[in-house]
Each structure stands twice: as C-alpha cells, then as structure tokens.
Amino acid sequence: MQDILQVLIHKAPVQELQLHIGKSGLCIGDAAELQLQTDGKIAIYAQAKRPFLGLLTRRALRHLGQLGPAATAVMTEPLRHRDHLRVRIVGLTPEHLSPSGAAEVYISVWSNTHRMMAVRPKTPVFIDPNQSS
C-alpha cells in the first residue's frame, strides 16, 4: 500500500548558497536532504560534483545552504519527529544565467505524515484609516 504524500513546502529558496551552482552538476528533480542543526537552522544537502584527482569529478553529498525562517518554522517539527520526507530541487538558475549573477536554488518538501501539519499565517486585517472608530 502506498502512502499519499502531502506537500509541506511548495517552493522555498535555498539561502546562503555554499556551492557554485553552474559547476555543481545539479538538475531540477534531483533529491536533497534536510538536517536540523544544533543552532536551530535547517541545512540542505544534495549529491553534487566534487573535484577528484585533478580533472576528474565525482558526486558526493555536499552542503547547498540553509532554509529561510518561514520554511524553518514549517519543517522543524517534522525533522524532530524524523518523518519521512521527499525533498526535491524544483527551481535552479545558475550564476551565468542569472541577471544579477547570483545563483538561485529552490526546493519542495513532501511528507506522508499522518499528523496535522497545517501551519497557516493569520489572515491580515485591513483597517481603513478614513473610518473613525
């Protein structure tokens, strides 16, 4: 029997990139891993190219970067409970294709957790400044 996966994060940017994305060999659809650090941040790892014996390369698990604060708030509990997560790279812009010269990587996270994971922001309340109270 297959479990139905529920989306926890549709698309979240990877912050503080640690690799040159254009030379990493990463592709959209590649698997990634999340690890909760002791400082409360969530590190992202993926299989990327690593220099090996001069001109040769091999793929190894490498640190990509961190999740931002909003995504960290959503993912902390599933990581603490060691839920099974499906993490994939869903967006990728290497340095040479970016107008600003800064690479961009985005991930999505899915889980088959049976616990309620709905973390919803409160709806903003609009207060009309022209209306007197």
PDB file of all heavy atoms in Angstrom, residues 20-26 49 94-95:
ATOM      1  N   HIS A  20      29.120  26.653  -6.149  1.00  0.00           N
ATOM      2  CA  HIS A  20      28.960  27.288  -7.460  1.00  0.00           C
ATOM      3  C   HIS A  20      27.975  26.398  -8.209  1.00  0.00           C
ATOM      4  O   HIS A  20      28.317  25.291  -8.624  1.00  0.00           O
ATOM      5  CB  HIS A  20      30.302  27.378  -8.178  1.00  0.00           C
ATOM      6  CG  HIS A  20      30.229  28.151  -9.440  1.00  0.00           C
ATOM      7  ND1 HIS A  20      29.726  27.611 -10.609  1.00  0.00           N
ATOM      8  CD2 HIS A  20      30.585  29.429  -9.724  1.00  0.00           C
ATOM      9  CE1 HIS A  20      29.776  28.525 -11.557  1.00  0.00           C
ATOM     10  NE2 HIS A  20      30.300  29.640 -11.049  1.00  0.00           N
ATOM     11  N   ILE A  21      26.756  26.858  -8.358  1.00  0.00           N
ATOM     12  CA  ILE A  21      25.682  26.035  -8.899  1.00  0.00           C
ATOM     13  C   ILE A  21      25.949  25.645 -10.350  1.00  0.00           C
ATOM     14  O   ILE A  21      25.648  24.528 -10.759  1.00  0.00           O
ATOM     15  CB  ILE A  21      24.323  26.759  -8.755  1.00  0.00           C
ATOM     16  CG1 ILE A  21      24.033  27.042  -7.272  1.00  0.00           C
ATOM     17  CG2 ILE A  21      23.198  25.958  -9.377  1.00  0.00           C
ATOM     18  CD1 ILE A  21      24.057  25.830  -6.373  1.00  0.00           C
ATOM     19  N   GLY A  22      26.544  26.522 -11.127  1.00  0.00           N
ATOM     20  CA  GLY A  22      26.843  26.217 -12.518  1.00  0.00           C
ATOM     21  C   GLY A  22      27.806  25.058 -12.703  1.00  0.00           C
ATOM     22  O   GLY A  22      27.775  24.368 -13.716  1.00  0.00           O
ATOM     23  N   LYS A  23      28.655  24.822 -11.730  1.00  0.00           N
ATOM     24  CA  LYS A  23      29.651  23.747 -11.810  1.00  0.00           C
ATOM     25  C   LYS A  23      29.285  22.534 -10.947  1.00  0.00           C
ATOM     26  O   LYS A  23      30.039  21.575 -10.900  1.00  0.00           O
ATOM     27  CB  LYS A  23      31.016  24.275 -11.367  1.00  0.00           C
ATOM     28  CG  LYS A  23      31.567  25.357 -12.269  1.00  0.00           C
ATOM     29  CD  LYS A  23      32.893  25.865 -11.763  1.00  0.00           C
ATOM     30  CE  LYS A  23      33.415  26.976 -12.653  1.00  0.00           C
ATOM     31  NZ  LYS A  23      34.682  27.524 -12.146  1.00  0.00           N
ATOM     32  N   SER A  24      28.149  22.589 -10.274  1.00  0.00           N
ATOM     33  CA  SER A  24      27.794  21.537  -9.320  1.00  0.00           C
ATOM     34  C   SER A  24      27.188  20.295  -9.953  1.00  0.00           C
ATOM     35  O   SER A  24      27.177  19.232  -9.342  1.00  0.00           O
ATOM     36  CB  SER A  24      26.813  22.089  -8.285  1.00  0.00           C
ATOM     37  OG  SER A  24      25.570  22.370  -8.901  1.00  0.00           O
ATOM     38  N   GLY A  25      26.650  20.437 -11.167  1.00  0.00           N
ATOM     39  CA  GLY A  25      26.002  19.294 -11.815  1.00  0.00           C
ATOM     40  C   GLY A  25      24.598  19.043 -11.313  1.00  0.00           C
ATOM     41  O   GLY A  25      23.999  18.018 -11.638  1.00  0.00           O
ATOM     42  N   LEU A  26      24.036  19.950 -10.530  1.00  0.00           N
ATOM     43  CA  LEU A  26      22.665  19.780 -10.025  1.00  0.00           C
ATOM     44  C   LEU A  26      21.652  20.013 -11.137  1.00  0.00           C
ATOM     45  O   LEU A  26      21.882  20.830 -12.031  1.00  0.00           O
ATOM     46  CB  LEU A  26      22.398  20.756  -8.882  1.00  0.00           C
ATOM     47  CG  LEU A  26      23.148  20.503  -7.585  1.00  0.00           C
ATOM     48  CD1 LEU A  26      22.894  21.639  -6.609  1.00  0.00           C
ATOM     49  CD2 LEU A  26      22.731  19.182  -6.975  1.00  0.00           C
ATOM     50  N   LYS A  49      28.682  17.511  -7.866  1.00  0.00           N
ATOM     51  CA  LYS A  49      30.042  17.200  -8.310  1.00  0.00           C
ATOM     52  C   LYS A  49      31.058  17.752  -7.323  1.00  0.00           C
ATOM     53  O   LYS A  49      30.890  18.830  -6.777  1.00  0.00           O
ATOM     54  CB  LYS A  49      30.297  17.817  -9.681  1.00  0.00           C
ATOM     55  CG  LYS A  49      29.588  17.141 -10.807  1.00  0.00           C
ATOM     56  CD  LYS A  49      29.969  17.805 -12.122  1.00  0.00           C
ATOM     57  CE  LYS A  49      29.228  17.208 -13.280  1.00  0.00           C
ATOM     58  NZ  LYS A  49      29.552  17.899 -14.541  1.00  0.00           N
ATOM     59  N   PRO A  94      21.546  28.906 -12.606  1.00  0.00           N
ATOM     60  CA  PRO A  94      22.985  29.025 -12.359  1.00  0.00           C
ATOM     61  C   PRO A  94      23.464  30.470 -12.498  1.00  0.00           C
ATOM     62  O   PRO A  94      22.763  31.320 -13.045  1.00  0.00           O
ATOM     63  CB  PRO A  94      23.612  28.129 -13.429  1.00  0.00           C
ATOM     64  CG  PRO A  94      22.558  27.871 -14.429  1.00  0.00           C
ATOM     65  CD  PRO A  94      21.241  28.152 -13.812  1.00  0.00           C
ATOM     66  N   GLU A  95      24.645  30.715 -12.011  1.00  0.00           N
ATOM     67  CA  GLU A  95      25.206  32.068 -11.986  1.00  0.00           C
ATOM     68  C   GLU A  95      25.251  32.715 -13.370  1.00  0.00           C
ATOM     69  O   GLU A  95      24.921  33.889 -13.519  1.00  0.00           O
ATOM     70  CB  GLU A  95      26.629  32.040 -11.405  1.00  0.00           C
ATOM     71  CG  GLU A  95      26.719  31.645  -9.954  1.00  0.00           C
ATOM     72  CD  GLU A  95      26.672  30.149  -9.704  1.00  0.00           C
ATOM     73  OE1 GLU A  95      26.541  29.362 -10.661  1.00  0.00           O
ATOM     74  OE2 GLU A  95      26.756  29.757  -8.539  1.00  0.00           O
TER      75      GLU A  95
END
